[in-house]
Amino acid sequence: MKYEIILYWSEDDNAYIAEVPELAGCMADGASAKDALHNVEQIIKEWIETAQELGREIPEPKGRLRYA
């Protein structure tokens, strides 16, 4: 999968958070950065499977996003 993943530490959650901006609401956490990345890979698959089942459009990965 080639979706951009943003990985950061959350003091509030006391965990690493991995977000996938191109897939609305797609995110996971983990005790380590490696765990968060592993978990979000599974969540991406589930997000896509659910979108397919519901007949929703699946965004094409655009690669590196730019933020203002």
Side-chain angles (χ1 to χ4, degrees):
M1 282 165 256
K2 298 184 181 184
Y3 290 100
E4 180 176 50
I5 298 170
I6 299 173
L7 179 66
Y8 60 92
W9 174 257
S10 171
E11 288 292 334
D12 292 338
D13 298 308
N14 196 34
Y16 284 91
I17 307 295
E19 293 185 21
V20 185
E22 294 174 279
L23 304 177
C26 187
M27 60 182 356
D29 65 3
S32 69
K34 184 177 178 179
D35 289 343
L37 288 172
H38 174 77
N39 294 341
V40 83
E41 289 174 359
Q42 181 61 38
I43 297 301
I44 290 170
K45 290 176 189 174
E46 292 173 10
W47 193 102
I48 291 170
E49 288 171 3
T50 300
Q52 289 172 331
E53 289 171 7
L54 297 174
R56 294 187 179 160
E57 184 176 338
I58 299 168
E60 289 293 322
K62 294 179 184 164
R64 187 173 178 178
L65 299 176
R66 299 188 189 272
Y67 297 93

